[in-house]
């Protein structure tokens, strides 16, 4: 933009106002990871929430969120490769009744495993029941849908995996052309980077437009303050399937269900390794 400053989306002067935490308190955000989760699904939103926290604290306000990370195992591997140590394991909070203000569930290639993982599914059901709002990114919506928690609701998911993921929620009203969808307490986004957009939408809804706008600018993230989720530049990437491909997708789902369910029943971890992808 140095040669064309008029078209620099971040060159406009910053608004002058005192940022406020509209809730007057710090809310509880629980981030759930799993083996082979997608990093940007998770850390894009978490970074936006962290930026919002810093902006508020600088002005003497309470931060928006206190974040706790959970996973089935204490150390969890992302699809990108790095391992991450979680604050707590799912089993350690299974009997808790503490309210969750926002539950964040990312997507990733590990989605297929967790859709069939009885331990993870039970934990997600309990966590959702305690959550004021549930935010899923990418294929994370398929995990919630597979538990029947999105039945009768509108939702979206990753575009390139749309046909397969939507099979895990046959009673869900899947929206193919949407950057994100809100229905009741559930907020579902399209693939990967769309979760960062949705995190700003949630900041706008929960804490006000000023904080959401200031957060996007502080992070130098190009985002429309009037974002309503309908502008989806990637909806055309949903593969157009022939009848043969439709049948293949259903067979693929059936085979995955058999393999994972059988493996879990025998007590295997059924973890997905990168070299098999």
């Amino acid at each position: 933009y140095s040669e064309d400053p008029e078209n620099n989306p971040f060159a406009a002067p910053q608004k002058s106002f005192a940022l406020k935490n509209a809730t007057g308190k710090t809310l509880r955000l629980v981030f759930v990871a799993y083996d082979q989760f997608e990093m940007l699904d998770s850390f894009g939103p978490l970074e936006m929430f962290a930026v919002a926290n810093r902006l508020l604290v600088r002005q003497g306000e309470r931060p928006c969120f206190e974040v706790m990370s959970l996973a089935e195992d204490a150390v969890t591997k992302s699809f990108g490769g790095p391992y991450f140590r979680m604050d707590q394991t799912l089993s350690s909070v299974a009997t808790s009744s503490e309210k969750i203000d926002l539950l964040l569930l990312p997507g990733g290639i590990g989605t297929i495993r967790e859709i069939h993982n009885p331990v993870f599914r039970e934990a997600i059901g309990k966590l959702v029941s305690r959550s004021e709002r549930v935010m899923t990114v990418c294929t994370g919506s398929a995990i919630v849908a597979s538990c029947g928690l999105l039945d009768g609701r509108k939702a979206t998911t990753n575009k390139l995996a749309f046909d397969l993921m939507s099979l895990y929620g046959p009673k869900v009203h899947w929206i193919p052309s949407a950057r994100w969808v809100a229905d009741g307490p559930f907020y579902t986004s399209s693939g990967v980077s769309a979760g960062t957009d949705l995190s700003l939408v949630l900041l706008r809804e929960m804490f006000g437009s000023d904080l959401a706008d200031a957060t996007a600018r502080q992070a130098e993230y190009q985002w429309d303050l009037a974002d309503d989720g309908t502008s989806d530049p990637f909806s055309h990437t949903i593969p157009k399937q022939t009848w043969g491909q439709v049948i293949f997708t259903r067979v693929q789902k059936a085979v995955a269900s058999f393999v994972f369910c059988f493996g879990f029943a025998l007590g295997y971890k059924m973890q997905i390794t990168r070299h098999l992808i």
Side-chain angles (χ1 to χ4, degrees):
Y1 294 112
S2 59
E3 297 178 0
D4 190 13
E6 291 184 0
N7 289 320
N8 183 349
F10 308 109
Q14 292 282 344
K15 296 178 182 178
S16 178
F17 48 73
L19 294 173
K20 297 288 185 182
N21 181 333
T23 68
K25 56 186 178 181
T26 299
L27 303 182
R28 189 164 184 256
L29 190 161
V30 173
F31 157 56
V32 182
Y34 49 86
D35 186 58
Q36 304 297 322
F37 74 96
E38 187 68 46
M39 288 188 289
L40 187 57
D41 288 11
S42 313
F43 302 124
L46 289 174
E47 179 60 23
M48 289 301 175
F49 297 142
V51 170
N53 279 352
R54 291 196 295 270
L55 289 173
L56 287 175
V57 170
R58 286 174 189 168
Q59 298 204 16
E61 292 285 311
R62 289 178 178 271
C64 300
F65 293 110
E66 178 182 20
V67 180
M68 180 175 71
S69 59
L70 295 177
E72 186 175 354
D73 299 317
V75 177
T76 300
K77 187 177 183 181
S78 68
F79 179 53
Y83 288 84
F84 296 91
R85 181 170 294 278
M86 301 293 110
D87 294 321
Q88 295 188 44
T89 60
L90 291 174
S91 60
S92 68
V93 297
T95 58
S96 173
S97 59
E98 190 174 0
K99 175 188 171 185
I100 299 169
D101 295 293
L102 179 60
L103 181 68
L104 170 59
L105 180 63
I109 194 68
T111 295
I112 297 297
R113 175 184 186 266
E114 306 313 331
I115 283 173
H116 303 95
N117 180 353
V119 173
F120 194 83
R121 287 166 56 85
E122 181 181 5
I124 288 298
K126 291 179 179 179
L127 291 169
V128 168
S129 70
R130 293 161 43 198
S131 300
E132 187 74 21
R133 291 178 175 85
V134 178
M135 172 186 176
T136 69
V137 182
C138 195
T139 56
S141 57
I143 298 175
V144 180
S146 71
C147 298
L149 300 171
L150 288 176
D151 286 359
R153 296 188 182 276
K154 296 177 182 178
T156 194
T157 189
N158 181 286
K159 297 300 183 286
L160 293 177
F162 195 92
D163 293 306
L164 177 59
M165 292 299 108
S166 60
L167 291 178
Y168 290 104
K171 296 181 180 180
V172 178
H173 301 303
W174 294 102
I175 310 298
S177 182
R179 186 73 168 157
W180 56 268
V181 172
D183 191 337
F186 296 97
Y187 296 76
T188 59
S189 85
S190 184
V192 196
S193 64
T196 306
D197 291 20
L198 183 53
S199 66
L200 290 166
V201 171
L202 281 162
L203 283 174
R204 182 185 67 193
E205 179 174 308
M206 300 171 73
F207 299 96
S209 297
D210 287 347
L211 181 59
D213 186 46
T215 298
R217 289 179 173 276
Q218 180 72 19
E220 295 193 9
Y221 187 77
Q222 196 166 354
W223 176 69
D224 183 358
L225 184 59
D227 182 7
D228 64 359
T230 59
S231 178
D232 182 11
F234 302 102
S235 60
H236 69 279
T237 62
I238 296 177
K240 298 184 184 300
Q241 292 192 319
T242 64
W243 279 109
Q245 290 169 326
V246 169
I247 293 172
F248 176 78
T249 299
R250 293 180 180 274
V251 170
Q252 185 181 29
K253 174 181 179 292
V255 170
S257 295
F258 173 79
V259 170
F260 279 100
C261 290
F262 188 66
F264 279 122
L266 292 178
Y268 292 107
K269 290 283 285 184
M270 299 304 293
Q271 290 178 311
I272 301 172
T273 55
R274 294 181 69 208
H275 67 272
L276 293 178
I277 303 304

